[in-house]
Amino acid sequence: MSAMLEAVGLAKTYRIGRRLTVPALRGVDFTIPEGDFVAIMGPSGSGKSTLMNIIGCLDRPTAGKYVLHGEDVSRKSDDQLASVRNRMIGFVFQNFNLLPRQTALLNVELPLIYRGVPARERRRRATAALDAVGLSDRASHRPNELSGGQQQRVAIARALAGTPSILLADEPTGNLDSRSGEEIMALLQRLNDDGVTVVLVTHDDDIASHCRRIIRLRDGRIVDDRAVVDQLDARVVLSRMPPANGDQPEPAASGGAGAEGAGAPGAGAYSNGATHGGPGEAGTL
Amino acid sequence: MMKSLDILKIGAFGLTGNKLRSALTMLGVIIGVAAVIALVSIGQGATLSVTSRIQSMGSNLVIVNPVRGANLTMDDVKELPTRVDNIAAIVPDMAGMLTVKWENKNVQTTVDGTTEQFPDVRDFGAEEGRFLTADDVSGRRRVAVVGQTLLDTLFDGNPAIGQTITINGQRFTVIGIMTKKGATMGRDQDDMIYVPITTLQRLRGSTRVGSLYIKVIDGSQTADTVAHIQGIFDQKFGREDSVSVRSQDELLSTVNQMTGTLTAMLAAIAGISLLVGGIGIMNIMLVSVTERTREIGLRKAVGARRIYILGQFLTESILMSLFGGAIGIAVGIMASRVISKMAGWTTYVSPTSIIISFGFAAAVGLFFGVWPAMKAAAMDPIEALRRE
Ligand SMILES: Nc1ncnc2c1ncn2[C@@H]1O[C@H](COP(=O)(O)OP(=O)(O)O)[C@@H](O)[C@H]1O
Ligand SMILES: [Mg+2]
């Protein structure tokens, strides 16, 4: 597999005032191939967020080189980085960050607006992305009408709508109960199976063991980088959990509905270099 | 471009987030624009009515007014045309509020002493009956020509010609009724009685006349005529500027200058309230940008360039000022009508004042929106997303 993401001697030093400098990253090298599923772990202050910000093109390294999908993005301007983010990065945040007054569908359309995709095409792709996360029946709902897990799935749909090269998730399950968290992991695993490259930050060993690989940071350096031996399958974990209560709809149901609806485009919307998979996959969540 | 349309939509949607707040912010602009429209309409109305008043005095006029103790008399009226070539007609004017009585009715009205040349100079005269004649003037006859308002106020609709009225205790016979002239600047031009100036002088025990109205033959020579007349009087009274000699054009331009200054002052006062409205917009936009830091961070994270964020927030502020401006124009026009009705002033809302105040409102929205929008556009997405 080709390298989706390559960091060479990546360093970031924050300046506080004129004299004080804080080295947050002290030379980090790694390569993430296309289709990888990486958890970044480490104690607080070890540089996880700093690294994610650079990977996500929200920030620039003070030294070293960062190549994303063959493009050196370490020295680009703010607006150039915005455009790179728009085309290549999908963000999922711990606190979802949905626009509260907009419907799920419009939230998902957001990255496409800034890409200049025409309204009709935008709607088609956003619908497909919502379908892919099993929420096609919630398209016209506002965030406050959705459960935390559903909100996070809308956020994932938003990240997918622009068919990014890489999905970045900073503690995506941090604000969710364990079942919703597991459902999110099942979704991410399925997307990853479909070829989406995923990098997430987590404190939770259980969450991390859903990934293929764990990179551990300490004091701005990589102290450990290895493949996960017993990768957890979220579907299996979910099947052992007590059934969902109340407002959490079984994702399988909505996924099935999606298969009948805008099914086929759904696959195209989120999977790049997809190995297999279709909307029916959502039903197996 | 379609992206700009989407940015406009996002901006417009932003305004609906806190409708009450948007409306109150707009209110500042509404009041500002309405104040500009209404106050300027007062100024322009004043210009208009003074202008029409001056024009209603006749055309090609030169007006002589005595200055400090320079008394004009009937001799001047007779002598001036013999010394100045360009005079077509000349009438003295001596007006005062007097009590006029008919049967058992009393009214206060303006009694104007003049001569038979009045219709030639002022371009209007008797509609019914006749105006004063040279004989009336030389014979100091007690005859009167009445304005149309008096037909109602004094005669109660009875035929006026031939009636005997009493002015300051002296009996006059009504010989004619003037053409209707209407009101200018809130003054009724038909609430007048014209009598021979000679008769009025005797009635008041005075030989003075108030001012002279001169009609010139050749309007292009007016400036020379004015200078000539000024010279004659200055020589007669032995000092400069003994009288003020003004042509109608000069009078118009002086008055227009004055009312223009008035309009500008009113516009400036109103403009300040529009500026305050603009500061209100800036204030609210700054609050809004701060409140929506996370939204801005998110938009930037998913790929919004600076210019899109700038456009979004500028759209909000400009839309508020444009809507406020449009509503303000409507309110201003209504206010101008109400003022005109209540105060009896002439008001005039000119298209120019509408265009300028609307443009000014738009500029205010742009000017006071730029800083908050730039603040939003310059936000660091990392910082912004961290904000709670
Ligand atoms: N904007 C900043 N300015 C100064 N220092 C910072 C900034 N962001 C992070 N740091 C410092 O950099 C180090 C790494 O922080 P961070 O990447 O947030 O770690 P983590 O996410 O693993 O907790 C910490 O010492 C932190 O204090
Ligand atoms: Mg962190």
PDB file of all heavy atoms in Angstrom, chain A residues 172-188:
ATOM      1  N   PRO A 172     -13.084  10.308  19.827  1.00  0.00           N
ATOM      2  CA  PRO A 172     -14.446  10.341  19.264  1.00  0.00           C
ATOM      3  C   PRO A 172     -15.482   9.710  20.178  1.00  0.00           C
ATOM      4  O   PRO A 172     -16.674   9.987  20.045  1.00  0.00           O
ATOM      5  CB  PRO A 172     -14.316   9.540  17.965  1.00  0.00           C
ATOM      6  CG  PRO A 172     -13.152   8.645  18.175  1.00  0.00           C
ATOM      7  CD  PRO A 172     -12.197   9.404  19.052  1.00  0.00           C
ATOM      8  N   THR A 173     -15.026   8.865  21.111  1.00  0.00           N
ATOM      9  CA  THR A 173     -15.992   8.201  21.985  1.00  0.00           C
ATOM     10  C   THR A 173     -15.978   8.787  23.382  1.00  0.00           C
ATOM     11  O   THR A 173     -16.679   8.319  24.272  1.00  0.00           O
ATOM     12  CB  THR A 173     -15.682   6.695  22.069  1.00  0.00           C
ATOM     13  OG1 THR A 173     -14.357   6.539  22.600  1.00  0.00           O
ATOM     14  CG2 THR A 173     -15.742   6.044  20.707  1.00  0.00           C
ATOM     15  N   GLY A 174     -15.176   9.845  23.554  1.00  0.00           N
ATOM     16  CA  GLY A 174     -14.962  10.397  24.894  1.00  0.00           C
ATOM     17  C   GLY A 174     -16.224  10.884  25.573  1.00  0.00           C
ATOM     18  O   GLY A 174     -16.346  10.826  26.799  1.00  0.00           O
ATOM     19  N   ASN A 175     -17.182  11.371  24.795  1.00  0.00           N
ATOM     20  CA  ASN A 175     -18.404  11.919  25.390  1.00  0.00           C
ATOM     21  C   ASN A 175     -19.576  10.954  25.309  1.00  0.00           C
ATOM     22  O   ASN A 175     -20.715  11.347  25.494  1.00  0.00           O
ATOM     23  CB  ASN A 175     -18.803  13.209  24.672  1.00  0.00           C
ATOM     24  CG  ASN A 175     -17.966  14.383  25.120  1.00  0.00           C
ATOM     25  OD1 ASN A 175     -16.943  14.192  25.785  1.00  0.00           O
ATOM     26  ND2 ASN A 175     -18.383  15.581  24.771  1.00  0.00           N
ATOM     27  N   LEU A 176     -19.301   9.695  24.991  1.00  0.00           N
ATOM     28  CA  LEU A 176     -20.408   8.771  24.756  1.00  0.00           C
ATOM     29  C   LEU A 176     -20.414   7.653  25.801  1.00  0.00           C
ATOM     30  O   LEU A 176     -19.375   7.306  26.371  1.00  0.00           O
ATOM     31  CB  LEU A 176     -20.271   8.151  23.357  1.00  0.00           C
ATOM     32  CG  LEU A 176     -20.316   9.146  22.191  1.00  0.00           C
ATOM     33  CD1 LEU A 176     -20.072   8.421  20.879  1.00  0.00           C
ATOM     34  CD2 LEU A 176     -21.648   9.882  22.152  1.00  0.00           C
ATOM     35  N   ASP A 177     -21.610   7.090  26.032  1.00  0.00           N
ATOM     36  CA  ASP A 177     -21.682   5.913  26.895  1.00  0.00           C
ATOM     37  C   ASP A 177     -21.042   4.734  26.149  1.00  0.00           C
ATOM     38  O   ASP A 177     -20.787   4.810  24.946  1.00  0.00           O
ATOM     39  CB  ASP A 177     -23.139   5.612  27.251  1.00  0.00           C
ATOM     40  CG  ASP A 177     -23.972   5.324  26.029  1.00  0.00           C
ATOM     41  OD1 ASP A 177     -23.867   4.213  25.492  1.00  0.00           O
ATOM     42  OD2 ASP A 177     -24.705   6.253  25.584  1.00  0.00           O
ATOM     43  N   SER A 178     -20.807   3.645  26.864  1.00  0.00           N
ATOM     44  CA  SER A 178     -19.979   2.606  26.266  1.00  0.00           C
ATOM     45  C   SER A 178     -20.641   1.979  25.040  1.00  0.00           C
ATOM     46  O   SER A 178     -19.977   1.661  24.061  1.00  0.00           O
ATOM     47  CB  SER A 178     -19.641   1.531  27.303  1.00  0.00           C
ATOM     48  OG  SER A 178     -20.827   1.017  27.851  1.00  0.00           O
ATOM     49  N   ARG A 179     -21.959   1.829  25.068  1.00  0.00           N
ATOM     50  CA  ARG A 179     -22.605   1.210  23.919  1.00  0.00           C
ATOM     51  C   ARG A 179     -22.517   2.105  22.682  1.00  0.00           C
ATOM     52  O   ARG A 179     -22.128   1.650  21.604  1.00  0.00           O
ATOM     53  CB  ARG A 179     -24.076   0.908  24.236  1.00  0.00           C
ATOM     54  CG  ARG A 179     -24.699   0.175  23.081  1.00  0.00           C
ATOM     55  CD  ARG A 179     -26.133  -0.218  23.265  1.00  0.00           C
ATOM     56  NE  ARG A 179     -26.529  -0.902  22.038  1.00  0.00           N
ATOM     57  CZ  ARG A 179     -26.413  -2.201  21.863  1.00  0.00           C
ATOM     58  NH1 ARG A 179     -25.950  -2.974  22.823  1.00  0.00           N
ATOM     59  NH2 ARG A 179     -26.753  -2.740  20.707  1.00  0.00           N
ATOM     60  N   SER A 180     -22.831   3.406  22.869  1.00  0.00           N
ATOM     61  CA  SER A 180     -22.736   4.336  21.740  1.00  0.00           C
ATOM     62  C   SER A 180     -21.310   4.396  21.229  1.00  0.00           C
ATOM     63  O   SER A 180     -21.068   4.439  20.017  1.00  0.00           O
ATOM     64  CB  SER A 180     -23.185   5.731  22.155  1.00  0.00           C
ATOM     65  OG  SER A 180     -24.484   5.688  22.666  1.00  0.00           O
ATOM     66  N   GLY A 181     -20.353   4.398  22.178  1.00  0.00           N
ATOM     67  CA  GLY A 181     -18.943   4.420  21.803  1.00  0.00           C
ATOM     68  C   GLY A 181     -18.601   3.211  20.955  1.00  0.00           C
ATOM     69  O   GLY A 181     -17.913   3.316  19.940  1.00  0.00           O
ATOM     70  N   GLU A 182     -19.111   2.069  21.377  1.00  0.00           N
ATOM     71  CA  GLU A 182     -18.834   0.827  20.648  1.00  0.00           C
ATOM     72  C   GLU A 182     -19.442   0.888  19.240  1.00  0.00           C
ATOM     73  O   GLU A 182     -18.838   0.431  18.267  1.00  0.00           O
ATOM     74  CB  GLU A 182     -19.416  -0.362  21.439  1.00  0.00           C
ATOM     75  CG  GLU A 182     -18.793  -1.688  21.119  1.00  0.00           C
ATOM     76  CD  GLU A 182     -17.283  -1.727  21.346  1.00  0.00           C
ATOM     77  OE1 GLU A 182     -16.827  -1.194  22.387  1.00  0.00           O
ATOM     78  OE2 GLU A 182     -16.562  -2.249  20.479  1.00  0.00           O
ATOM     79  N   GLU A 183     -20.629   1.499  19.169  1.00  0.00           N
ATOM     80  CA  GLU A 183     -21.269   1.636  17.853  1.00  0.00           C
ATOM     81  C   GLU A 183     -20.434   2.523  16.930  1.00  0.00           C
ATOM     82  O   GLU A 183     -20.301   2.248  15.740  1.00  0.00           O
ATOM     83  CB  GLU A 183     -22.677   2.214  18.010  1.00  0.00           C
ATOM     84  CG  GLU A 183     -23.685   1.180  18.483  1.00  0.00           C
ATOM     85  CD  GLU A 183     -25.016   1.794  18.896  1.00  0.00           C
ATOM     86  OE1 GLU A 183     -25.161   3.037  18.815  1.00  0.00           O
ATOM     87  OE2 GLU A 183     -25.893   1.026  19.312  1.00  0.00           O
ATOM     88  N   ILE A 184     -19.889   3.589  17.519  1.00  0.00           N
ATOM     89  CA  ILE A 184     -19.017   4.463  16.722  1.00  0.00           C
ATOM     90  C   ILE A 184     -17.805   3.684  16.235  1.00  0.00           C
ATOM     91  O   ILE A 184     -17.391   3.785  15.076  1.00  0.00           O
ATOM     92  CB  ILE A 184     -18.586   5.696  17.550  1.00  0.00           C
ATOM     93  CG1 ILE A 184     -19.794   6.593  17.838  1.00  0.00           C
ATOM     94  CG2 ILE A 184     -17.482   6.480  16.845  1.00  0.00           C
ATOM     95  CD1 ILE A 184     -20.507   7.115  16.614  1.00  0.00           C
ATOM     96  N   MET A 185     -17.236   2.874  17.140  1.00  0.00           N
ATOM     97  CA  MET A 185     -16.064   2.097  16.734  1.00  0.00           C
ATOM     98  C   MET A 185     -16.428   1.093  15.644  1.00  0.00           C
ATOM     99  O   MET A 185     -15.654   0.864  14.713  1.00  0.00           O
ATOM    100  CB  MET A 185     -15.452   1.374  17.951  1.00  0.00           C
ATOM    101  CG  MET A 185     -14.747   2.305  18.938  1.00  0.00           C
ATOM    102  SD  MET A 185     -13.708   3.543  18.151  1.00  0.00           S
ATOM    103  CE  MET A 185     -12.386   2.519  17.496  1.00  0.00           C
ATOM    104  N   ALA A 186     -17.626   0.517  15.755  1.00  0.00           N
ATOM    105  CA  ALA A 186     -18.064  -0.422  14.720  1.00  0.00           C
ATOM    106  C   ALA A 186     -18.163   0.292  13.374  1.00  0.00           C
ATOM    107  O   ALA A 186     -17.727  -0.227  12.339  1.00  0.00           O
ATOM    108  CB  ALA A 186     -19.424  -1.014  15.097  1.00  0.00           C
ATOM    109  N   LEU A 187     -18.692   1.519  13.417  1.00  0.00           N
ATOM    110  CA  LEU A 187     -18.815   2.308  12.186  1.00  0.00           C
ATOM    111  C   LEU A 187     -17.437   2.610  11.605  1.00  0.00           C
ATOM    112  O   LEU A 187     -17.200   2.439  10.403  1.00  0.00           O
ATOM    113  CB  LEU A 187     -19.578   3.596  12.500  1.00  0.00           C
ATOM    114  CG  LEU A 187     -19.760   4.599  11.370  1.00  0.00           C
ATOM    115  CD1 LEU A 187     -20.422   3.940  10.175  1.00  0.00           C
ATOM    116  CD2 LEU A 187     -20.598   5.782  11.847  1.00  0.00           C
ATOM    117  N   LEU A 188     -16.516   3.045  12.501  1.00  0.00           N
ATOM    118  CA  LEU A 188     -15.172   3.375  12.015  1.00  0.00           C
ATOM    119  C   LEU A 188     -14.485   2.136  11.441  1.00  0.00           C
ATOM    120  O   LEU A 188     -13.809   2.203  10.421  1.00  0.00           O
ATOM    121  CB  LEU A 188     -14.330   3.992  13.142  1.00  0.00           C
ATOM    122  CG  LEU A 188     -14.776   5.391  13.603  1.00  0.00           C
ATOM    123  CD1 LEU A 188     -13.893   5.889  14.755  1.00  0.00           C
ATOM    124  CD2 LEU A 188     -14.724   6.384  12.448  1.00  0.00           C
TER     125      LEU A 188
END
